[in-house]
Amino acid sequence: MRHTTPNAALAARATPTDPLVSVIISNYNYGAYLGDAIRSVQQQTYRNTEIIVVDDGSTDNSRAVIDCFEEQITVIFNQHRGQCAALNTGLAVSHGAIILFLDADDYLVDNAIERLVAPLVDNPAATKVQGAMIAVDSSGKSLGRKVPGFISPSGDYKKLTLEVGPWTCRHSWTSGIAWQRWFLERVFPLPEGSERRNDADGCLNPVATLFGPIISLDEPVAYYRIHGRNIGPVGEVFTLESLSNRLLRMQHTYDFFLPWARHFGATSATIERWRKWKRSWKSNLTAYVVNLMDSSHPRPSFKEVVFAPLMTGSTSPLKSAGLVAALAVIRISPRKLALVFSRRLLRMPNEPRAGNRDIENH
């Protein structure tokens, strides 16, 4: 079932300085929050927008919420196939020159689209504009912090990304980013396999740095709702499942990124260096811990674990020296002690914190 609105007419009225912005809201069983997401787009100071809701097979009250907005939005009802499939569907029916993917449990700051659009209009070669988000609880009350805690400043990171790897930049997350349509059309569709269906950020963010500069804003552009049904970047725990998922997401990023890296000139030796040293010392330590928990997983070498702080370039020299010593102790310790020391060094709890984000539910 699909409801349509005259979005093609909106696109026809768009101008280079007033482009149509397509806001694609992916929803799976977030009926409690979906209305806030839709209204946050309708209340924007920037008016030339279309709203596309892709419902990913919800079984809660989402359809009733959607029906309240009737002809104000475009709606597509998918079978449950994950976030990536929802975004693929939404992009295919959208008309905007600028695209914003909004998670249904998040919502926008009132002038977010206006602030996101202006830099892309001024710099059409940029692939995206990003801003941090304000963390709020399930009722929308501020939790007093921004997420993510840091994003890279504006710049052209192509050369550095090809030298260092896909995690050169610190990026915002889905609801805090506006994309140029021309970039998305180059790299879509996103992978929809059962294990990769919710890795949109991991796919898009690193590749974006290869196609053009990125632009970062100083002020938050969205509210990131933290509630009892969600896990991921804000609350991983020290369990085999959680740590394995972290490594799996890294692998998915590699899989999507590598063909484009080769296209832009990355050599086999460079790619092997990325694989060996990964994103940071934390990643190699995570791989070692996963092996300790389940020996069927590959074990990184002593060198890969201990000397990662010196090789990835993401840690200061003084801190690197201390980390090398700590990692050496972990690497030679008995299994039980190694796990205790690793959990403390990774600063991960044994039990979920309130507000973990569920990768199944966007």
Side-chain angles (χ1 to χ4, degrees):
M1 179 179 180
R2 174 177 163 186
H3 302 182
T4 60
T5 55
N7 295 323
L10 289 173
R13 293 202 303 268
T15 67
T17 58
D18 186 33
L20 177 66
V21 177
S22 299
V23 182
I24 299 169
I25 303 175
S26 56
N27 175 68
Y28 177 63
N29 286 343
Y30 278 164
Y33 311 119
L34 177 58
D36 288 345
I38 295 172
R39 283 187 288 271
S40 77
V41 183
Q42 293 178 325
Q43 295 166 2
Q44 288 294 300
T45 56
Y46 188 91
R47 306 302 300 172
N48 194 18
T49 62
E50 64 172 352
I51 304 172
I52 300 169
V53 175
V54 182
D55 185 83
D56 188 39
S58 294
T59 57
D60 65 351
N61 67 327
S62 291
R63 188 178 290 258
V65 173
I66 289 168
D67 288 344
C68 292
F69 294 91
E70 297 181 347
E71 299 303 314
Q72 303 169 50
I73 60 177
T74 295
V75 185
I76 300 175
F77 295 99
N78 274 357
Q79 292 183 338
H80 181 46
R81 305 199 324 266
Q83 181 195 33
C84 287
L87 301 191
N88 288 338
T89 299
L91 182 66
V93 302
S94 68
H95 300 86
I98 294 172
I99 310 294
L100 198 157
F101 298 123
L102 179 62
D103 286 342
D105 54 337
D106 300 333
Y107 54 105
L108 299 176
V109 172
D110 288 347
N111 64 349
I113 295 180
E114 181 180 352
R115 289 167 48 223
L116 289 164
V117 166
L120 291 178
V121 170
D122 293 340
N123 188 355
T127 54
K128 70 170 190 172
V129 173
Q130 62 181 1
M133 296 174 283
I134 302 168
V136 298
D137 65 12
S138 59
S139 66
K141 180 181 178 181
S142 175
L143 297 176
R145 67 181 189 272
K146 294 190 297 184
V147 293
F150 173 78
I151 58 176
S152 294
S154 302
D156 188 338
Y157 292 91
K158 177 180 177 180
K159 181 178 179 181
L160 188 60
T161 300
L162 290 174
E163 291 174 352
V164 178
W167 293 287
T168 302
C169 291
R170 301 288 184 89
H171 299 276
S172 189
W173 304 332
T174 308
S175 301
I177 304 172
W179 302 92
Q180 296 277 25
R181 184 184 193 92
W182 64 259
F183 164 70
L184 296 180
E185 289 184 337
R186 287 289 305 274
V187 302
F188 265 56
L190 298 176
E192 297 184 12
S194 60
E195 292 184 341
R196 303 174 62 186
R197 59 186 182 175
N198 297 302
D199 289 333
D201 287 334
C203 291
L204 294 175
N205 279 325
V207 172
T209 63
L210 300 178
F211 279 82
I214 64 170
I215 300 170
S216 298
L217 303 179
D218 293 331
E219 297 298 322
V221 296
Y223 296 91
Y224 183 91
R225 200 188 302 264
I226 296 175
H227 51 88
R229 278 190 52 229
N230 52 352
I231 74 174
V234 290
E236 293 173 319
V237 294
F238 196 74
T239 63
L240 177 61
E241 180 182 13
S242 178
L243 295 171
S244 297
N245 282 336
R246 174 189 282 191
L247 295 178
L248 188 61
R249 290 197 300 272
M250 287 184 59
Q251 185 60 52
H252 296 165
T253 295
Y254 272 121
D255 292 344
F256 194 83
F257 178 79
L258 290 185
W260 289 110
R262 291 191 178 98
H263 173 79
F264 284 101
T267 66
S268 296
T270 299
I271 291 170
E272 174 58 22
R273 187 173 71 249
W274 301 341
R275 185 209 63 77
K276 182 175 182 179
W277 299 114
K278 300 184 174 67
R279 177 179 184 175
S280 69
W281 62 269
K282 291 182 180 180
S283 300
N284 274 329
L285 178 58
T286 299
Y288 179 62
V289 170
V290 167
N291 172 266
L292 291 179
M293 292 178 171
D294 181 354
S295 60
S296 66
H297 291 265
R299 172 177 289 203
S301 69
F302 180 92
K303 180 180 178 181
E304 288 172 341
V305 174
V306 173
F307 295 112
L310 303 174
M311 300 300 295
T312 56
S314 58
T315 310
S316 67
L318 183 60
K319 184 178 179 181
S320 292
L323 285 169
V324 166
L327 291 167
V329 170
I330 289 172
R331 192 60 176 78
I332 64 176
S333 293
R335 177 182 180 277
K336 187 174 181 179
L337 281 178
L339 289 174
V340 171
F341 294 155
S342 296
R343 183 180 69 81
R344 291 178 178 176
L345 195 59
L346 292 170
R347 298 181 179 179
M348 297 178 71
N350 284 320
E351 298 294 333
R353 297 186 180 101
N356 289 351
R357 174 169 284 276
D358 184 355
I359 60 174
E360 171 63 22
N361 296 314
H362 313 330

